[in-house]
Amino acid sequence: MFSSSEENYLKAIYHLSLASTKGISTNAIANKLATKASSVTDMIKKLADKNMLVYKKYQGVTLTEKGKKTAANIIRKHRLWEVFLVEKLNFSWDEVHDVAEQLEHIKSPKLINEIDALLGFPKYDPHGDPIPDKNGALHQIEKSLLASLKIKEKGICVGVNDSSATFLQFLDKQGIALGKEVEVVDKEDFDNSMTIKINKKAITISNKIANNLYIQKL
Amino acid sequence: MFSSSEENYLKAIYHLSLASTKGISTNAIANKLATKASSVTDMIKKLADKNMLVYKKYQGVTLTEKGKKTAANIIRKHRLWEVFLVEKLNFSWDEVHDVAEQLEHIKSPKLINEIDALLGFPKYDPHGDPIPDKNGALHQIEKSLLASLKIKEKGICVGVNDSSATFLQFLDKQGIALGKEVEVVDKEDFDNSMTIKINKKAITISNKIANNLYIQKL
DNA sequence: AAATAAATTTAGATAAGGCTAAAAATAAAT
DNA sequence: ATTTATTTTTAGCCTTATCTAAATTTATTT
Ligand SMILES: [Mn+2]
Ligand SMILES: [Mn+2]
Ligand SMILES: [Mn+2]
Ligand SMILES: [Mn+2]
């Protein structure tokens, strides 16, 4: 059994591992968890003792298979709870993350399996992120950043890169939601802003926005 | 905000207070929480500092209004989660307590209000215990222990005194469930065991059983 | 190849929550 | 009214998870 703190470390390392082939550095983990490098060193020693990861002083860490599976299971719980909150409890997608951060640490296999069943075994969470299956397998969909689309290209919104409440609320305000079709109408070379058509309306968005919205190309 | 540990102390003291008019002793709390008296002394000092209870050395503790409200709110969450687990997630009444012990500490007013609404604002949990309202008010139903009934008296099962899995599973096995009608057919002076009629069948139960089942007299 | 900078680890502290053993206060029994 | 027993508190120690500051290792520049 793992403490909430241990679980949060495993989750952070797992997420960082998806975006890099090399070992994960102490600083990267400290940064992700808003903690100090010295605290990270202590914790990764403990997780190495528990065979959750491989650690060689100064060389960063790599999750073991057991570590990956454990982390994926926490992420599975997090994302299933997010779906539950949106689908069954009238939460909006910008309200779910903090509560899911708590709920993901509840220990009860039956609980999460029943939630899964109640929801009809969803494959994606409210932010378009895939839900790992019981074995920790995670089938990532083919997706591109909106920023990478060229003029005239079309796609469906399938996910967000930034799940912060401010960004999600901005999307709500602009009428941008997962499942909606967008078309790039124009791109501005000067600041990489782009004009897109969504809901039959043209709106202009900054490059920062376009770099945080995932699209499945049509 | 309170830690899970603080919340568990408040809850324990609240429960003990219901069964006694005097201040709650250090030992009683230690016993209830399966901890040591010295640990209790430390914690009640902290809770006294936070104005959750009144503490005078060697005199036991009494919850303040704030303390009562806080405790009732945790119990409210615990019982609502138990209803949710039974009603929506196919848990049986002997499986819910341990999970509810975890879920009761989740911090999110919206979450528990939505769960409440989803369940149709239930008044009792799966064990017949009343669910405190948002203000911490708790309307106890009129109920008696089955053991107190005389021969020929009838009643409806409305609650259990012991919520342990073993007792609840025993009741399941005997076909005893909340809402069912029972009639006392016979009582044995020697060991206070009694024969009751339930589901149109007569069964004999020990005094210990009869002392853990609540009945609303008919 | 040295010198400097950056990253990482170690050492030492702190806070929460718990424990054991000893001291002190209260309650019960002579 | 003492003595004895029980309860409660205090003192000191432990574990987990943090932190800061100093030491050490690795990486980057000159
Ligand atoms: Mn999230
Ligand atoms: Mn998400
Ligand atoms: Mn319970
Ligand atoms: Mn209950």
Side-chain angles (χ1 to χ4, degrees), chain B residues 3 5 9 35-36 38-39 42-43 46 58-59:
Chain B
S3 68
S5 191
Y9 273 89
T35 183
K36 297 299 149 99
S38 54
S39 305
D42 282 349
M43 182 58 92
K46 202 197 315 182
Y58 295 99
Q59 304 309 150

Side-chain angles (χ1 to χ4, degrees), chain A residues 3 5 35-36 38-39 42 46 58:
Chain A
S3 68
S5 190
T35 182
K36 296 298 150 94
S38 55
S39 306
D42 282 349
K46 201 196 316 184
Y58 295 99

Side-chain angles (χ1 to χ4, degrees), chain B residues 78-79 82 96-97 125-129 163:
Chain B
H78 181 103
R79 293 180 178 167
E82 286 190 344
V96 297
H97 182 75
D125 85 357
H127 312 105
D129 292 313
S163 284

Side-chain angles (χ1 to χ4, degrees), chain B:
Chain B
M1 210 52 43
F2 297 95
S3 68
S4 291
S5 191
E6 289 172 324
E7 291 188 344
N8 286 336
Y9 273 89
L10 287 173
K11 204 172 43 137
I13 296 165
Y14 182 93
H15 279 132
L16 291 166
S17 300
L18 291 180
S20 113
T21 54
K22 291 171 287 181
I24 306 306
S25 75
T26 302
N27 261 359
I29 300 168
N31 185 53
K32 182 127 204 166
L33 290 173
T35 183
K36 297 299 149 99
S38 54
S39 305
V40 173
T41 302
D42 282 349
M43 182 58 92
I44 60 186
K45 280 178 184 167
K46 202 197 315 182
L47 291 172
D49 286 344
K50 294 191 177 185
N51 294 310
M52 290 296 113
L53 46 81
V54 176
Y55 166 58
K56 262 171 154 171
K57 270 191 192 180
Y58 295 99
Q59 304 309 150
V61 298
T62 317
L63 290 177
T64 61
E65 276 310 306
K66 271 181 73 181
K68 277 182 209 163
K69 239 179 142 165
T70 306
N73 194 250
I74 302 158
I75 291 163
R76 171 177 159 79
K77 291 197 278 179
H78 181 103
R79 293 180 178 167
L80 281 171
W81 278 114
E82 286 190 344
V83 176
F84 171 75
L85 294 173
V86 166
E87 295 295 318
K88 301 292 179 183
L89 298 188
N90 307 305
F91 277 63
S92 50
W93 67 343
D94 60 297
E95 295 176 312
V96 297
H97 182 75
D98 292 349
V99 186
E101 285 290 311
Q102 300 178 62
L103 287 164
E104 71 189 8
H105 302 296
I106 301 290
K107 266 89 178 166
S108 166
K110 170 156 180 148
L111 175 59
I112 202 64
N113 287 338
E114 291 287 344
I115 288 280
D116 194 21
L118 179 71
L119 298 170
F121 310 102
K123 294 279 168 290
Y124 297 95
D125 85 357
H127 312 105
D129 292 313
I131 297 171
D133 68 22
K134 288 180 192 179
N135 304 312
L138 193 155
H139 9 251
Q140 194 61 263
I141 205 179
E142 177 75 30
K143 64 189 184 185
S144 338
L145 286 174
L146 173 54
S148 73
L149 295 216
K150 300 186 186 65
I151 292 178
K152 291 248 171 109
E153 284 190 312
K154 289 182 188 177
I156 306 278
C157 299
V158 294
V160 292
N161 187 34
D162 175 346
S163 284
S164 70
T166 43
F167 181 57
L168 298 176
Q169 282 162 14
F170 167 83
L171 295 178
D172 286 342
K173 201 168 61 188
Q174 298 290 337
I176 302 171
L178 301 194
K180 293 227 165 158
E181 188 176 322
V182 286
E183 178 183 349
V184 179
V185 174
D186 198 11
K187 289 181 90 169
E188 199 55 63
D189 278 346
F190 178 65
D191 62 354
N192 288 309
S193 65
M194 54 167 58
T195 301
I196 60 174
K197 203 167 80 183
I198 185 165
N199 300 315
K200 293 169 184 157
K201 246 178 32 192
I203 60 175
T204 302
I205 58 174
S206 73
N207 181 251
K208 184 168 179 187
I209 302 298
N211 260 315
N212 279 297
L213 193 56
Y214 285 114
I215 300 297
Q216 188 170 24
K217 283 188 198 170
L218 285 177

Side-chain angles (χ1 to χ4, degrees), chain A residues 154-188:
Chain A
K154 289 182 190 178
I156 306 279
C157 300
V158 293
V160 293
N161 188 35
D162 175 345
S163 284
S164 69
T166 42
F167 181 56
L168 298 175
Q169 282 163 14
F170 167 83
L171 295 178
D172 285 344
K173 202 168 59 185
Q174 297 291 334
I176 302 171
L178 301 194
K180 294 228 165 159
E181 187 175 322
V182 287
E183 179 182 350
V184 179
V185 175
D186 198 11
K187 291 180 87 168
E188 199 56 62

